[in-house]
């Protein structure tokens, strides 16, 4: 879930020092888009026989400006100028396991004389530590288990390929990793999902990165072209391991399970590892979710009791006799049989066209050489997980999964993304926003909303995630892949969100996220009126919100298909596949598998249910009734359970954006109820 990169130059090479310096800097800056929470660099100084490590909780663009970076880079380049080799690798981190505020959790991870950078998440790290009781665990970060197991295998006398294959064999989740050693003249690269690319002439230079696009951009630089010449970008495929002798430049690759004999490159004298930890005085406080912290000391009860769950009052609302929509639903009306206008105008969505038709449509895009040929937007939710499964297993395409992390993708979603991509051997490109900035935007907008709580303004809390569409188009350009297949489920239509903003329902929309030009102007007018009532909305997020609106509703979409237009959506089948085949992880505060990876959903659904007496769960279950998937009574019981407040996720959400749990929940509870006359 990060960007990793490195440059190795053979001793005695005549490559310009300036070319190395600029190329390393460019690679670092390209990688920052994949993680801005922390960063690190490692340099091999052969003159002093040291491995110098710099790391800290700052973006890599800031690390590049530090005097200590310039010092270590300069020393390594001086050694290169004196006919020594050059080796450097770096990491731009999107935090998953282990807080970035603890230096041992930042990368490169130093363990048993091995420097490791890792892109991905190892979801069974705890199990691997338990299976290897002789290993000593020091940190929270999942990456630590990789060098620990590699060193254990090396100590048993296994050569490097055998040691790596044995160490990685039981790993679940995703790993694309690079390792340097204090006692060996080797660089090891390994991946189980193909997120590693490299350029080499196998004589003088070797450059690697976690995405092909970083190397494509690097090749556009004239100085780098002096290094690489006509050398092509190569792909380290899922399950492959590569070893480069940094002195002789012997290069070997093998597949998992094969143990080609390779002479170990042991050094006569170990390199000494030095590390420099960057102290960032501007760091935000670490967010710790601990039930003890949420104990109301005055009453001795958990803040869970602050929640309202007005099931009895809400159950007395008039509802459609066919679906579940209540009288508080925007623009609803009932006929003489009690059937609502949403049911009367509903057009069956799950009447899928032929899957064979989709096969024919995607055939012109199919790669002839097994290279990636499809972009699959992948949120880590159940529908995108199932879509990736079908696209890989049944369509037979070679997808790249694309994830946009805007700060509200939960750790649970990240772990599920790693589970699925690791098992399928699918590269996952994550574009990371400036998460701290995005969360600050949410905090300011929620604070402004609480001063004048209009239900029609609630979607503003989620505006930051709409850049998903913008970045999806960018990934298409970067990879050169035109085809993208989405797992959007039309049963998730939530027109009530714009309904509360005064927009009348449109029953003939082709896409659930589309708005007519007139409705776009109406929506702008509604938002402008609320900004005047609560000027706190005028903050740093305004441009971001306008951009997200354009990305979702205005930007053109081409070479674009919806899987569920051609493949029947079946909740039971989807749950069976994701839970049984991929060991998909469920949330601890709900039985549902829907929206559990979205940190915002628990908050906005609590608002809608508490104030209006329904949530998007009601609209989703109502659509299932209309499609003949659920009986009304079954759907009603499911909704009662789905609408229970999600305590654990909601308290995480408020803590992560820096708002007081009790203050916010009390404010929501005090909003006049639409169902109380």
């Amino acid at each position: 879930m990060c960007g990793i990169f490195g440059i190795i130059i053979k001793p005695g090479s005549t490559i310009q020092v300036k070319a190395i310096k600029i190329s390393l800097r460019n690679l670092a800056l390209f990688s920052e888009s994949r993680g801005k929470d922390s960063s690190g660099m490692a340099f091999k100084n052969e003159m002093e026989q040291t491995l110098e490590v710099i790391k800290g909780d700052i973006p890599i663009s800031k690390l590049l400006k530090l005097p200590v970076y310039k010092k270590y880079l300069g020393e390594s380049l001086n050694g290169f100028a004196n006919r020594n080799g050059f080796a450097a690798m770096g990491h731009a981190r999107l935090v998953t396991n282990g807080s970035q505020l603890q230096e041992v959790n930042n990368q490169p991870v130093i363990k048993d004389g091995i420097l490791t950078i890792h892109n991905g998440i190892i979801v069974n790290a705890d199990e691997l530590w338990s299976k290897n009781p002789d290993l000593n665990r020091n940190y929270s970060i999942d990456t630590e288990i990789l060098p620990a197991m590699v060193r254990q295998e090396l100590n048993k006398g296994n050569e490097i390929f055998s040691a790596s294959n044995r160490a990685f064999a039981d790993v679940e989740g995703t790993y694309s990793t690079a390792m340097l050693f204090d006692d060996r003249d080797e660089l090891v690269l390994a991946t189980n999902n193909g997120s590693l690319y490299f350029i080499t002439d196998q004589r003088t230079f070797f450059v690697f990165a976690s995405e092909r696009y970083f190397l494509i951009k690097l090749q556009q630089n004239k100085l780098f072209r002096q290094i690489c010449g006509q050398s092509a970008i190569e792909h380290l495929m899922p399950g492959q391991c590569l070893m480069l002798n940094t002195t002789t430049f012997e290069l070997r690759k093998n597949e998992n399970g094969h143990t080609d004999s390779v002479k170990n490159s042991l050094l006569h004298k170990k390199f000494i590892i030095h590390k420099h930890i960057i102290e960032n005085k501007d760091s935000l406080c670490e967010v710790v979710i601990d039930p003890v912290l949420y104990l109301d000391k005055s009453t001795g009860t958990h803040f869970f009791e602050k929640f309202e769950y007005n099931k009895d009052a809400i159950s007395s609302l008039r509802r459609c006799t066919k679906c579940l929509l209540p009288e508080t639903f925007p623009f609803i009306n009932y006929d003489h049989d009690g059937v609502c206008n949403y049911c009367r105008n509903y057009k069956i969505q799950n009447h899928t066209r032929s899957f064979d038709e989709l096969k024919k449509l995607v055939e012109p895009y199919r790669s002839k050489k097994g290279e990636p040929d499809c972009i699959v937007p992948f949120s880590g939710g159940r529908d995108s997980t199932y879509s990736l499964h079908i696209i890989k297993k049944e369509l037979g395409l070679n997808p790249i999964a694309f994830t946009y992390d805007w700060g509200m993708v939960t750790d649970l979603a990240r772990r599920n993304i790693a589970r699925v991509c690791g098992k399928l051997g699918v590269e996952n490109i994550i574009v990371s926003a400036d998460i701290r900035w995005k969360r600050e935007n949410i905090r300011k907008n929620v604070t402004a909303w609480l001063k004048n709580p209009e239900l029609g303004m609630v979607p503003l809390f989620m505006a930051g995630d709409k850049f998903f569409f913008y970045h999806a188009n960018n990934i298409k350009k970067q990879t050169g892949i035109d085809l993208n297949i989405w797992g959007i489920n039309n049963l998730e239509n939530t027109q009530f969100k714009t309904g509360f903003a005064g927009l009348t329902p449109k029953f003939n929309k082709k896409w659930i996220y589309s708005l007519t030009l007139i409705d776009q102007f109406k929506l702008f007018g509604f938002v402008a009126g609320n900004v005047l009532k609560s000027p706190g909305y005028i903050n740093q997020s305004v441009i971001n919100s306008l951009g997200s609106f354009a990305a979702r509703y205005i930007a053109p979409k081409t070479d674009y298909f919806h899987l569920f237009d051609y493949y029947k959506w079946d909740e039971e089948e989807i749950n069976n596949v994701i839970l049984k085949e991929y060991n998909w992880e469920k949330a601890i505060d709900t039985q549902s598998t829907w929206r559990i990876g979205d940190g915002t959903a628990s908050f906005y659904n609590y608002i809608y249910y508490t104030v209006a007496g329904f949530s998007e769960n009601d609209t989703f279950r109502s659509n299932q009734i209309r499609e003949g998937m659920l009986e009304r009574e079954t759907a009603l019981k499911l909704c009662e359970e789905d609408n229970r407040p999600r305590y654990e996720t909601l308290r995480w959400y408020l803590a992560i954006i820096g708002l007081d749990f009790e203050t916010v929940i009390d404010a929501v509870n005090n909003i006049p109820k639409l169902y109380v006359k």
Side-chain angles (χ1 to χ4, degrees):
M1 307 298 179
C2 312
I4 65 174
F5 57 92
I7 296 179
I8 316 295
I9 308 292
K10 187 179 180 180
S13 300
T14 58
I15 293 169
Q16 290 186 36
V17 166
K18 184 179 180 181
I20 300 172
K21 185 177 180 180
I22 295 298
S23 298
L24 184 63
R25 176 181 177 81
N26 286 343
L27 268 180
L29 293 175
F30 299 155
S31 299
E32 187 178 62
S33 64
R34 306 314 186 231
K36 300 179 179 68
D37 292 329
S38 66
S39 61
M41 295 282 291
F43 297 95
K44 193 172 186 179
N45 186 333
E46 300 207 30
M47 289 185 67
E48 300 295 331
Q49 286 197 298
T50 59
L51 291 166
E52 309 289 357
V53 175
I54 320 162
K55 57 180 179 174
D57 60 322
I58 60 172
I60 203 161
S61 56
K62 291 186 177 180
L63 183 146
L64 297 176
K65 298 175 183 177
L66 297 176
V68 66
Y69 168 80
K70 297 174 183 177
K71 175 178 182 292
Y72 288 154
L73 173 61
E75 290 173 352
S76 294
L77 289 174
N78 286 338
F80 173 73
N82 285 299
R83 311 295 289 174
N84 289 293
F86 176 85
M89 64 183 190
H91 186 273
R93 185 183 182 208
L94 172 64
V95 169
T96 50
N97 300 79
S99 167
Q100 77 274 23
L101 303 186
Q102 298 177 21
E103 62 89 3
V104 292
N105 293 325
N106 292 327
Q107 301 197 30
V109 170
I110 304 169
K111 180 73 173 181
D112 297 334
I114 304 176
L115 306 188
T116 303
I117 52 177
H118 167 221
N119 173 30
I121 299 178
I122 300 168
V123 298
N124 67 330
D126 291 342
E127 297 170 27
L128 292 172
W129 285 112
S130 297
K131 284 179 63 175
N132 296 276
D134 293 338
L135 298 180
N136 183 30
R137 186 176 192 177
N138 301 113
Y139 321 135
S140 300
I141 190 169
D142 54 329
T143 302
E144 183 190 6
I145 190 63
L146 296 179
M149 292 193 300
V150 168
R151 178 59 74 185
Q152 177 179 247
E153 294 299 329
L154 289 173
N155 288 342
K156 292 177 181 178
N158 291 308
E159 49 78 29
I160 193 67
F161 277 148
S162 177
S164 300
N165 288 334
R166 289 172 182 270
F168 300 143
D170 295 328
V171 171
E172 295 177 11
T174 51
Y175 65 84
S176 294
T177 187
M179 295 180 176
L180 285 171
F181 302 79
D182 69 348
D183 60 347
R184 314 171 72 87
D185 248 349
E186 292 164 340
L187 167 77
V188 170
L189 300 183
T191 179
N192 70 342
N193 72 327
S195 290
L196 274 176
Y197 296 83
F198 63 94
I199 307 176
T200 182
D201 63 357
Q202 297 193 19
R203 297 187 306 274
T204 57
F205 78 92
F206 183 91
V207 180
F208 71 89
S210 49
E211 286 181 37
R212 181 188 293 273
Y213 179 63
F214 299 162
L215 298 180
I216 291 174
K217 287 193 71 176
L218 197 62
Q219 286 179 321
Q220 295 170 359
N221 182 275
K222 291 181 180 179
L223 281 172
F224 182 72
R225 286 202 297 272
Q226 293 178 12
I227 299 176
C228 74
Q230 300 299 315
S231 300
I233 298 173
E234 298 185 54
H235 187 190
L236 197 65
M237 302 300 288
Q240 283 189 328
C241 180
L242 176 150
M243 184 276 292
L244 174 72
N245 186 302
T246 58
T247 299
T248 67
F249 253 60
E250 178 190 12
L251 181 68
R252 299 288 297 273
K253 281 193 296 185
N254 78 335
E255 307 285 342
N256 278 347
H258 297 279
T259 56
D260 298 341
S261 179
V262 177
K263 183 180 179 181
N264 286 324
S265 304
L266 288 171
L267 296 170
H268 295 296
K269 182 179 179 181
K270 282 188 177 183
F271 275 58
I272 299 171
I273 299 175
H274 295 150
K275 63 179 178 179
H276 180 93
I277 308 306
I278 303 162
E279 294 184 5
N280 182 12
K281 297 178 181 179
D282 297 325
S283 289
L284 299 179
C285 294
E286 181 180 4
V287 175
V288 179
I289 299 299
D290 185 335
V292 175
L293 300 179
Y294 290 85
L295 193 68
D296 186 334
K297 294 180 174 59
S298 62
T299 62
T301 60
H302 273 79
F303 281 179
F304 181 82
E305 295 183 3
K306 294 287 182 182
F307 285 131
E308 289 187 4
Y309 179 54
N310 302 317
K311 184 178 69 171
D312 293 338
I314 291 170
S315 65
S316 65
L317 283 169
R318 182 186 182 187
R319 292 180 182 269
C320 174
T321 55
K322 183 176 181 179
C323 72
L324 305 180
L325 299 189
E327 59 189 290
T328 53
F329 203 86
F331 298 103
I332 197 166
N333 61 68
Y334 305 101
D335 64 14
H336 63 281
D337 292 322
V339 178
C340 74
N341 52 321
Y342 290 88
C343 284
R344 295 197 302 271
N345 289 281
Y346 187 79
K347 293 179 175 60
I348 295 297
Q349 301 292 319
N350 210 17
H351 58 19
T352 55
R353 292 142 73 179
S354 166
F355 191 57
D356 288 335
E357 181 182 350
L358 181 60
K359 289 180 179 179
K360 292 178 182 177
L361 288 170
V362 304
E363 194 59 34
Y365 301 92
R366 190 182 300 277
S367 169
K368 302 300 187 292
K369 298 181 180 179
E371 288 297 311
D373 50 20
C374 174
I375 302 294
V376 179
F378 191 30
S379 67
R382 66 181 184 184
D383 290 339
S384 62
T385 295
Y386 185 74
S387 296
L388 188 62
H389 165 84
I390 295 298
I391 290 162
K392 177 74 173 179
K393 292 289 189 71
E394 297 197 27
L395 272 181
L397 294 170
N398 295 297
I400 289 178
F402 158 63
T403 304
Y404 176 53
D405 196 324
W406 67 291
M408 287 298 125
V409 177
T410 64
D411 280 352
L412 180 148
R414 292 171 176 173
R415 291 193 297 272
N416 282 334
I417 288 169
R419 283 184 172 89
V420 177
C421 289
K423 186 159 186 179
L424 286 174
V426 168
E427 181 177 355
N428 179 217
I429 294 178
I430 295 184
V431 175
S432 172
D434 185 335
I435 287 178
R436 295 179 182 181
W437 185 74
K438 287 275 192 177
R439 288 173 177 169
E440 178 68 7
N441 292 345
I442 299 170
R443 184 188 67 79
K444 290 184 176 182
N445 285 331
V446 171
T447 301
W449 181 84
L450 289 170
K451 294 178 180 178
N452 181 50
E454 277 278 357
L455 293 181
M457 293 292 285
V458 169
L460 192 62
F461 307 161
M462 295 84 77
D465 77 335
K466 305 306 180 290
F467 278 97
F468 202 114
F469 297 88
Y470 168 80
H471 288 294
N473 283 329
N474 275 351
I475 294 298
K476 287 175 61 177
K477 295 174 184 176
Q478 292 172 7
T479 59
I481 298 172
D482 292 323
L483 177 63
N484 57 131
I485 303 178
W486 294 61
I488 291 175
N489 178 6
N490 285 329
L491 303 186
E492 297 178 5
N493 193 334
T494 54
Q495 291 190 62
F496 70 87
K497 293 177 182 178
T498 53
F500 281 126
L503 274 60
T504 56
K506 300 294 185 294
F507 298 109
N508 58 349
K509 294 200 300 184
K510 182 178 181 181
W511 305 117
I512 62 175
Y513 48 77
S514 61
L515 283 181
T516 66
L517 186 60
I518 292 175
D519 278 347
Q520 289 177 30
F521 281 117
K522 285 183 179 179
L523 187 58
F524 271 118
F526 174 82
V527 171
N530 277 275
V531 169
L532 292 175
K533 295 177 185 177
S534 184
Y537 286 122
I538 303 175
N539 57 55
Q540 64 188 32
S541 72
V542 171
I543 300 300
N544 182 67
S545 298
L546 290 173
S548 68
F549 179 89
R552 178 160 186 169
Y553 294 113
I554 299 175
K557 299 170 179 64
T558 58
D559 302 292
Y560 180 92
F561 299 102
H562 283 195
L563 176 70
F564 295 118
D565 285 345
Y566 304 89
Y567 200 98
K568 187 173 182 178
W569 187 90
D570 184 312
E571 186 173 23
E572 184 176 355
E573 178 190 350
I574 290 171
N575 283 338
N576 281 337
V577 167
I578 65 175
L579 294 173
K580 294 180 180 179
E581 191 155 341
Y582 296 99
N583 196 25
W584 213 66
E585 185 178 350
K586 295 175 67 174
I588 62 174
D589 55 3
T590 181
Q591 291 300 309
S592 176
T593 56
W594 189 41
R595 293 279 197 255
I596 62 174
D598 180 350
T600 314
S602 60
F603 182 54
Y604 66 68
N605 277 325
Y606 180 74
I607 293 171
Y608 288 131
Y609 187 75
T610 302
V611 178
F614 70 91
S615 74
E616 63 184 2
N617 293 309
D618 298 70
T619 61
F620 176 63
R621 298 300 183 189
S622 291
N623 283 335
Q624 286 184 294
I625 294 170
R626 297 176 189 126
E627 295 283 339
M629 297 176 177
L630 284 178
E631 297 293 330
R632 186 176 184 276
E633 289 305 310
T634 301
L636 193 60
K637 290 179 182 177
L638 286 171
C639 260
E640 285 185 5
E641 182 61 34
D642 293 342
N643 283 325
R644 289 185 183 277
R646 293 183 56 193
Y647 176 50
E648 299 294 338
T649 305
L650 214 162
R651 68 190 179 120
W652 172 87
Y653 173 80
L654 293 174
I656 213 79
I657 64 174
L659 290 178
D660 179 69
F661 180 92
E662 185 175 16
T663 301
V664 173
I665 297 303
D666 282 346
V668 173
N669 294 344
N670 288 330
I671 299 171
K673 311 294 190 288
L674 300 185
Y675 48 87
V676 176
K677 308 300 183 183

